[in-house]
Amino acid sequence: MEPNSNFTENQLLLSSAQLQEQLEQQKALASVIVRIRESLDLETIFQTTVTQVRQLLNADRVAVFQFDLEKDWEGEFVSEDVALGWDSALAVKVYDHCFGEQFASSYQQGRVQAVADIYKAGLSDCHAAILSKFQVQANLVVPLLREKELWGLLCIHQCSEARDWKESEIEFIRQIADHLVVAIQQAKHLHEVQLQAAELAQAAQRDQVIARIVDEIRSPLDIETIFKTTTQEIRQLLQADRVAIFSFNDDWSGNFVAESFAEGWTPLVGVEPAIADTYLQQTQGGRYVNNQTFTVNDIYQAGLTNCHITLLEQFQAKAFATAPILQGDKLWGVIAAYQNASPRQWQSYEVESLTKIGTQIGVALRHYKLLAHAQYQAEQQKTLTSVITRIRESLDLDTIFQTTVTEARQMLQADRVAVFRFDPQKDWEGEFISEDVVPECNSVIAEKVYDYCFGENFAPLYAQGRVNTIADIYQGKFPGCYVQILEKFQVRANMIAPLLKKGELWGLLCIHQCNTPRYWQPSEIEFASQIAEQLGVALKQDSYLKQVQMQVIQLAEATEREKAMERQELLAATIDKIRQSLDIKTIFKTTTQAVRELLEVERVAIYRFNTDWSGKFVADSFKDGWIPVAQAQPIIIETFEDTDDDNELPRNETFVPIREGEKLWGLLVAYQNSQPRYWKEEEINLLAQVGVQLGIAIQQAELLEQTKRQTSELTQALQELKQTQTRLIQGEKMAGLGQLLAGVAHEINNPVSFIFGNLIHLNEYTQELLNVVKLYRQNSSLSPTVQEQINKTDLDFLIEDLPKTLESMKVGTERICEIVLSLRNFSRTDEAELKPVDINEGLDSTLLILGHRLKNNNERPAIEIVKEYGTFPLLECYPSQLNQVFMNLLSNSIDALEEKFKTIQQRYLKLSQTCPRIPLTIWISTQAINNQIVIRIADNGLGIPEEVRSHMFDPFFTTKAPSKGTGLGLSISYQIVVEKHHGQIKCSSKPGEGTEFVIEIPSSN
């Protein structure tokens, strides 16, 4: 129908019904959108949607159909709302073989199918049959597209009769479908996020397990425990049927050395014989040598050789993942994870975990090998040390030989260790003189041996100190006579080290392995060589001992004669040493040691008397095994009383007095602690002479110490006098400066006060005159002359500008008043005593005075001041002195910032580069903390080096040029804060970052 300008009553009713229908649709649409936003559960969203849509459209069935992406347009209904009397379509598999040809492309383009009557719409027979199966007579189908792919269909079925679908209904269903697509995408994204979260959680759990395994591997456990723990943990981590560690032999065969497997599988450790993988033997480790992993998801689908598959079937494996275990650069073995029950798709992170564990096992093996090697070397050194000790402790050659062969055999775990000695009277004939042998082997003691080919083949080499090793006597090309001799002693492998005495071959140290071949290690060869060398030393000692025993008797008499001469020489040397030094401790140490050596006693001590005749030992020299007596508590020695006993009686000590002038200072005592001794008169006389020299040395040392003390006191007094004089001069300068500032402030204050006071009246008078002029201009007829003059003078401008001029003069005078007040606050000439003041006000006054230095100039930009003042009561202090401290610290900060700017600018000039903006900042903060006022002054200058900072509060210490600093600013500041105000001043600095000074002053001084 064409619309008319005049609506009939029926048309109005029709429009009203359409509006009501659209309103209901919008309500349903809004409800669906709300449910989609409220819930992330797709089933709930679908069920809510189909229920409300069916009720709104009064249809017989509304359902959501989902395609199976793995199959060709096959799918099922996943949600529906159906009226009573009609069959449910849920979970019914639907496959329309002609769907792809007729509808797929249209639905993928977002087109809607509306069929009023399936029997009149010209549908294909297969399509009509499927719709009839669900009792459908009319249907409306809207595609559900997820990311431009056809996910499913939203179906509205009319089963009872045919139905003409309205355009508004089609549009409404299309909108519903759009929002369902949003919900489907949301559900997909949620599912992806949940999967990612689960993967991250699994990864975190894997990392934790791997970290725990690594910690256990690195812990100081034995290697078998590490293997056992590792295989158990990694099998649980990978959820595999078996995890095993395989170790290679020298011929690239190998054995399983550790494993963990699930219940029901056959063990591989200790059951399988040596496993020979021909590929690994031919390639000497294959890919594993290059640190590569190997994974097979299905042994029957991976193209493996038949022999490889057969070997894996023995392990009951259907899938496996392996990673190499490298001990340093050498392939030690493989760690393998097996899936026995079924094939398995190995993930990259699982292989990576296996690789990490393999690497850590390699590190553990290397550490274990190094530890074992170190322990073995330690045992060797221990045995070697024991042999050396026995050699030094004993002079009996037979005891030395027997001890050596016993400990060497135990250390090397050999079957026999023996010492063979050549008979110097015969040509390379000799016998075994000492041995240690296991019970299974025969003894070779006293066996005569003559090897007629020894001189030709071995003697020259042994004479050069070379060690000979044979791993198997039947594998080398040795002379028959040599093999026969070794067979006689049941030797299969041996190691021979020569025993040299004064460069000549004295004998041999023989290490025999009787039952099996043995590959001798370099450390074992070195050990045998060292043992043989030490036995050579023992042979030399034995030779020297015999010579010494012959010479002892000859030297005894000569020694006694020389002792007297030596004592006189030592006495002269001792007196010379006493006179060379003026340090009393050095004299005591030298004297006691020299006298003890001179008299050959066990202890010599110096005893000093106190005023009450008690005393203490101040120095002693003693032999090893005795405890010192010097620095003991004061004691009274009763044995020193009644000393006129007969010297012919034996006693443990003798002593002589030490006199400082006429005063008895102490005693010089010689002890024989182990037994009484007959003291000879010459020994007592010698001791007395030393005591006299000690008295003279003590007197000289005392005079020297007194002189040094007086000199030090005078030097210190002079230094303090200089510092006091300089500080007084500086204080007078600051006092004069304060009086000058106060005077200048006073002289400026008088005229400024006059100007400021008159400005108030001038402003009032001017305002009255301006009011009169305005009134005159309004109420009087101006003469032409007056009017002309007004025009010439621009009276309106004058009336407007004159008040502004007066206001500017007022601002200027107020600024001058502030400056005058700051000068007075800084100088505070009337506040030389303690007085409560506002610290923040003092800081502001100091900043105002330094304002000209803070502004920008031709050499640098302006310095920024950042203030953070706290609120606290007035502080009782010396205001002018604290202001002086603030002035010193702030001036130093300004100097540091100027130096920083100059340094950085010159650096960029040298590089011919544009200098960036350099921030120059000073931070000032005040606060009250724990009954103290804390003032912080910091800058971002170049900082102060530690070697400068440790001396910065010393008087006259400065790093500035002579014309720029006296070195007294910080010293005086320290005195003002610490001594005057009982506070603290501290400095912290980081070179290149800046410096901060912290002043702490008690709240009540």
Short mmCIF file of all heavy atoms in Angstrom, two decimals, residues 352-389:
data_model
loop_
_atom_site.label_atom_id
_atom_site.label_comp_id
_atom_site.label_asym_id
_atom_site.label_seq_id
_atom_site.Cartn_x
_atom_site.Cartn_y
_atom_site.Cartn_z
N GLU A 352 62.78 -30.32 26.11
CA GLU A 352 63.62 -29.29 26.72
C GLU A 352 63.89 -29.61 28.20
O GLU A 352 65.01 -29.45 28.68
CB GLU A 352 62.94 -27.92 26.60
CG GLU A 352 63.76 -26.78 27.16
CD GLU A 352 63.05 -25.44 27.05
OE1 GLU A 352 61.96 -25.41 26.44
OE2 GLU A 352 63.57 -24.45 27.57
N SER A 353 62.85 -30.06 28.92
CA SER A 353 63.04 -30.44 30.32
C SER A 353 64.05 -31.58 30.44
O SER A 353 64.93 -31.57 31.31
CB SER A 353 61.70 -30.85 30.94
OG SER A 353 60.77 -29.79 30.89
N LEU A 354 63.92 -32.56 29.54
CA LEU A 354 64.85 -33.69 29.56
C LEU A 354 66.28 -33.23 29.28
O LEU A 354 67.23 -33.69 29.90
CB LEU A 354 64.40 -34.72 28.51
CG LEU A 354 64.79 -36.18 28.75
CD1 LEU A 354 64.18 -36.70 30.03
CD2 LEU A 354 64.35 -37.04 27.57
N THR A 355 66.42 -32.27 28.34
CA THR A 355 67.75 -31.73 28.01
C THR A 355 68.35 -31.02 29.21
O THR A 355 69.55 -31.17 29.51
CB THR A 355 67.64 -30.77 26.82
OG1 THR A 355 67.05 -31.46 25.72
CG2 THR A 355 69.02 -30.26 26.42
N LYS A 356 67.54 -30.20 29.89
CA LYS A 356 68.05 -29.47 31.07
C LYS A 356 68.55 -30.45 32.13
O LYS A 356 69.62 -30.26 32.72
CB LYS A 356 66.95 -28.58 31.65
CG LYS A 356 66.59 -27.38 30.80
CD LYS A 356 65.50 -26.55 31.46
CE LYS A 356 65.13 -25.34 30.63
NZ LYS A 356 64.03 -24.55 31.25
N ILE A 357 67.75 -31.50 32.38
CA ILE A 357 68.15 -32.47 33.40
C ILE A 357 69.43 -33.20 32.97
O ILE A 357 70.33 -33.42 33.78
CB ILE A 357 67.02 -33.48 33.66
CG1 ILE A 357 65.78 -32.74 34.22
CG2 ILE A 357 67.46 -34.55 34.62
CD1 ILE A 357 66.06 -32.00 35.52
N GLY A 358 69.52 -33.54 31.66
CA GLY A 358 70.74 -34.17 31.17
C GLY A 358 71.96 -33.31 31.37
O GLY A 358 73.02 -33.79 31.76
N THR A 359 71.80 -31.99 31.12
CA THR A 359 72.91 -31.06 31.33
C THR A 359 73.33 -31.03 32.78
O THR A 359 74.52 -31.07 33.12
CB THR A 359 72.50 -29.65 30.87
OG1 THR A 359 72.12 -29.70 29.49
CG2 THR A 359 73.65 -28.67 31.05
N GLN A 360 72.35 -30.97 33.69
CA GLN A 360 72.66 -30.91 35.12
C GLN A 360 73.29 -32.21 35.61
O GLN A 360 74.18 -32.19 36.47
CB GLN A 360 71.39 -30.60 35.92
CG GLN A 360 70.83 -29.20 35.68
CD GLN A 360 71.83 -28.12 36.02
OE1 GLN A 360 72.59 -28.24 36.98
NE2 GLN A 360 71.83 -27.06 35.23
N ILE A 361 72.84 -33.34 35.05
CA ILE A 361 73.47 -34.62 35.43
C ILE A 361 74.93 -34.62 34.99
O ILE A 361 75.82 -35.09 35.71
CB ILE A 361 72.70 -35.80 34.82
CG1 ILE A 361 71.31 -35.93 35.48
CG2 ILE A 361 73.47 -37.10 34.99
CD1 ILE A 361 70.44 -36.99 34.86
N GLY A 362 75.19 -34.08 33.77
CA GLY A 362 76.56 -33.97 33.29
C GLY A 362 77.42 -33.14 34.23
O GLY A 362 78.57 -33.50 34.53
N VAL A 363 76.84 -32.01 34.71
CA VAL A 363 77.58 -31.17 35.67
C VAL A 363 77.85 -31.95 36.95
O VAL A 363 78.95 -31.91 37.50
CB VAL A 363 76.79 -29.88 35.95
CG1 VAL A 363 77.44 -29.09 37.09
CG2 VAL A 363 76.68 -29.03 34.71
N ALA A 364 76.82 -32.68 37.43
CA ALA A 364 76.98 -33.46 38.66
C ALA A 364 78.05 -34.54 38.48
O ALA A 364 78.87 -34.78 39.37
CB ALA A 364 75.66 -34.08 39.07
N LEU A 365 78.05 -35.20 37.30
CA LEU A 365 79.05 -36.23 37.05
C LEU A 365 80.46 -35.64 37.02
O LEU A 365 81.41 -36.23 37.54
CB LEU A 365 78.75 -36.92 35.71
CG LEU A 365 77.58 -37.90 35.71
CD1 LEU A 365 77.19 -38.27 34.30
CD2 LEU A 365 77.94 -39.16 36.50
N ARG A 366 80.55 -34.45 36.41
CA ARG A 366 81.86 -33.81 36.36
C ARG A 366 82.34 -33.45 37.76
O ARG A 366 83.50 -33.68 38.11
CB ARG A 366 81.79 -32.56 35.48
CG ARG A 366 83.14 -31.92 35.24
CD ARG A 366 83.03 -30.73 34.32
NE ARG A 366 84.34 -30.15 34.07
CZ ARG A 366 84.52 -29.01 33.41
NH1 ARG A 366 83.48 -28.36 32.94
NH2 ARG A 366 85.73 -28.52 33.23
N HIS A 367 81.41 -32.89 38.56
CA HIS A 367 81.76 -32.56 39.94
C HIS A 367 82.14 -33.83 40.71
O HIS A 367 83.10 -33.82 41.50
CB HIS A 367 80.60 -31.85 40.63
CG HIS A 367 80.37 -30.47 40.11
ND1 HIS A 367 79.31 -29.68 40.49
CD2 HIS A 367 81.09 -29.72 39.24
CE1 HIS A 367 79.38 -28.52 39.87
NE2 HIS A 367 80.44 -28.53 39.11
N TYR A 368 81.37 -34.91 40.47
CA TYR A 368 81.63 -36.17 41.18
C TYR A 368 83.00 -36.71 40.79
O TYR A 368 83.77 -37.17 41.65
CB TYR A 368 80.54 -37.18 40.83
CG TYR A 368 80.72 -38.52 41.47
CD1 TYR A 368 80.41 -38.71 42.82
CD2 TYR A 368 81.18 -39.61 40.74
CE1 TYR A 368 80.58 -39.95 43.42
CE2 TYR A 368 81.35 -40.84 41.32
CZ TYR A 368 81.05 -41.01 42.67
OH TYR A 368 81.21 -42.24 43.25
N LYS A 369 83.32 -36.62 39.50
CA LYS A 369 84.61 -37.10 39.04
C LYS A 369 85.74 -36.26 39.64
O LYS A 369 86.75 -36.80 40.11
CB LYS A 369 84.68 -37.05 37.51
CG LYS A 369 85.99 -37.55 36.95
CD LYS A 369 86.01 -37.48 35.43
CE LYS A 369 87.37 -37.94 34.87
NZ LYS A 369 87.40 -37.83 33.40
N LEU A 370 85.55 -34.92 39.60
CA LEU A 370 86.56 -34.04 40.17
C LEU A 370 86.74 -34.30 41.67
O LEU A 370 87.86 -34.32 42.18
CB LEU A 370 86.19 -32.58 39.92
CG LEU A 370 86.24 -32.11 38.47
CD1 LEU A 370 85.70 -30.69 38.36
CD2 LEU A 370 87.65 -32.18 37.92
N LEU A 371 85.57 -34.50 42.35
CA LEU A 371 85.64 -34.77 43.78
C LEU A 371 86.36 -36.08 44.06
O LEU A 371 87.21 -36.16 44.95
CB LEU A 371 84.22 -34.80 44.37
CG LEU A 371 84.11 -35.09 45.87
CD1 LEU A 371 84.84 -34.02 46.66
CD2 LEU A 371 82.66 -35.20 46.29
N ALA A 372 86.00 -37.12 43.29
CA ALA A 372 86.65 -38.42 43.49
C ALA A 372 88.15 -38.32 43.21
O ALA A 372 88.97 -38.88 43.94
CB ALA A 372 86.01 -39.47 42.58
N HIS A 373 88.47 -37.58 42.11
CA HIS A 373 89.89 -37.41 41.78
C HIS A 373 90.61 -36.65 42.89
O HIS A 373 91.73 -37.00 43.28
CB HIS A 373 90.01 -36.67 40.45
CG HIS A 373 91.43 -36.53 39.98
ND1 HIS A 373 92.21 -37.60 39.62
CD2 HIS A 373 92.21 -35.42 39.81
CE1 HIS A 373 93.41 -37.17 39.27
NE2 HIS A 373 93.44 -35.85 39.37
N ALA A 374 89.94 -35.60 43.40
CA ALA A 374 90.54 -34.80 44.47
C ALA A 374 90.72 -35.64 45.74
O ALA A 374 91.74 -35.55 46.41
CB ALA A 374 89.68 -33.57 44.76
N GLN A 375 89.69 -36.47 46.03
CA GLN A 375 89.78 -37.34 47.21
C GLN A 375 90.91 -38.35 47.06
O GLN A 375 91.66 -38.62 48.01
CB GLN A 375 88.46 -38.05 47.45
CG GLN A 375 87.34 -37.12 47.94
CD GLN A 375 86.01 -37.84 48.04
OE1 GLN A 375 85.83 -38.90 47.44
NE2 GLN A 375 85.08 -37.25 48.76
N TYR A 376 91.02 -38.90 45.82
CA TYR A 376 92.08 -39.87 45.57
C TYR A 376 93.45 -39.21 45.71
O TYR A 376 94.37 -39.75 46.32
CB TYR A 376 91.92 -40.48 44.18
CG TYR A 376 92.93 -41.56 43.87
CD1 TYR A 376 92.84 -42.81 44.47
CD2 TYR A 376 93.97 -41.33 42.97
CE1 TYR A 376 93.77 -43.82 44.20
CE2 TYR A 376 94.90 -42.32 42.69
CZ TYR A 376 94.80 -43.56 43.30
OH TYR A 376 95.71 -44.52 43.03
N GLN A 377 93.56 -37.99 45.14
CA GLN A 377 94.82 -37.26 45.27
C GLN A 377 95.11 -36.93 46.73
O GLN A 377 96.27 -36.99 47.18
CB GLN A 377 94.78 -35.97 44.44
CG GLN A 377 94.90 -36.21 42.95
CD GLN A 377 94.96 -34.91 42.18
OE1 GLN A 377 94.38 -33.90 42.60
NE2 GLN A 377 95.65 -34.92 41.06
N ALA A 378 94.05 -36.58 47.46
CA ALA A 378 94.23 -36.27 48.87
C ALA A 378 94.73 -37.50 49.62
O ALA A 378 95.63 -37.40 50.49
CB ALA A 378 92.93 -35.76 49.48
N GLU A 379 94.15 -38.68 49.28
CA GLU A 379 94.60 -39.91 49.93
C GLU A 379 96.06 -40.21 49.57
O GLU A 379 96.85 -40.65 50.41
CB GLU A 379 93.70 -41.08 49.51
CG GLU A 379 92.31 -41.02 50.11
CD GLU A 379 92.33 -41.14 51.63
OE1 GLU A 379 93.21 -41.86 52.15
OE2 GLU A 379 91.49 -40.50 52.28
N GLN A 380 96.38 -39.93 48.28
CA GLN A 380 97.76 -40.14 47.86
C GLN A 380 98.70 -39.22 48.64
O GLN A 380 99.75 -39.65 49.14
CB GLN A 380 97.90 -39.86 46.36
CG GLN A 380 97.38 -40.97 45.47
CD GLN A 380 97.67 -40.70 44.01
OE1 GLN A 380 97.94 -39.56 43.63
NE2 GLN A 380 97.59 -41.72 43.20
N GLN A 381 98.30 -37.93 48.74
CA GLN A 381 99.13 -36.98 49.47
C GLN A 381 99.23 -37.35 50.95
O GLN A 381 100.28 -37.19 51.57
CB GLN A 381 98.57 -35.57 49.32
CG GLN A 381 98.72 -34.99 47.92
CD GLN A 381 100.18 -34.94 47.49
OE1 GLN A 381 101.06 -34.56 48.25
NE2 GLN A 381 100.43 -35.33 46.24
N LYS A 382 98.09 -37.86 51.48
CA LYS A 382 98.09 -38.28 52.87
C LYS A 382 99.07 -39.43 53.08
O LYS A 382 99.86 -39.46 54.04
CB LYS A 382 96.68 -38.69 53.28
CG LYS A 382 96.54 -39.06 54.75
CD LYS A 382 95.09 -39.40 55.06
CE LYS A 382 94.94 -39.84 56.52
NZ LYS A 382 93.54 -40.21 56.83
N THR A 383 99.00 -40.41 52.16
CA THR A 383 99.92 -41.55 52.26
C THR A 383 101.36 -41.09 52.08
O THR A 383 102.27 -41.52 52.81
CB THR A 383 99.56 -42.59 51.18
OG1 THR A 383 98.21 -43.01 51.37
CG2 THR A 383 100.48 -43.81 51.28
N LEU A 384 101.57 -40.19 51.07
CA LEU A 384 102.91 -39.68 50.83
C LEU A 384 103.44 -38.93 52.05
O LEU A 384 104.60 -39.11 52.46
CB LEU A 384 102.90 -38.77 49.60
CG LEU A 384 104.25 -38.18 49.17
CD1 LEU A 384 105.21 -39.29 48.79
CD2 LEU A 384 104.06 -37.22 48.00
N THR A 385 102.56 -38.12 52.65
CA THR A 385 102.95 -37.38 53.85
C THR A 385 103.29 -38.33 54.99
O THR A 385 104.25 -38.11 55.73
CB THR A 385 101.81 -36.43 54.27
OG1 THR A 385 101.51 -35.56 53.19
CG2 THR A 385 102.21 -35.60 55.48
N SER A 386 102.47 -39.39 55.11
CA SER A 386 102.73 -40.38 56.16
C SER A 386 104.09 -41.04 55.95
O SER A 386 104.85 -41.23 56.91
CB SER A 386 101.62 -41.44 56.17
OG SER A 386 101.90 -42.45 57.09
N VAL A 387 104.39 -41.37 54.69
CA VAL A 387 105.68 -42.01 54.39
C VAL A 387 106.82 -41.05 54.72
O VAL A 387 107.83 -41.43 55.34
CB VAL A 387 105.72 -42.44 52.92
CG1 VAL A 387 107.14 -42.88 52.54
CG2 VAL A 387 104.74 -43.58 52.68
N ILE A 388 106.64 -39.79 54.30
CA ILE A 388 107.68 -38.79 54.57
C ILE A 388 107.88 -38.61 56.08
O ILE A 388 109.01 -38.53 56.58
CB ILE A 388 107.32 -37.45 53.90
CG1 ILE A 388 107.33 -37.61 52.37
CG2 ILE A 388 108.28 -36.35 54.32
CD1 ILE A 388 106.79 -36.42 51.62
N THR A 389 106.75 -38.59 56.80
CA THR A 389 106.83 -38.43 58.26
C THR A 389 107.57 -39.60 58.89
O THR A 389 108.42 -39.42 59.78
CB THR A 389 105.42 -38.32 58.85
OG1 THR A 389 104.74 -37.21 58.24
CG2 THR A 389 105.47 -38.09 60.35
#
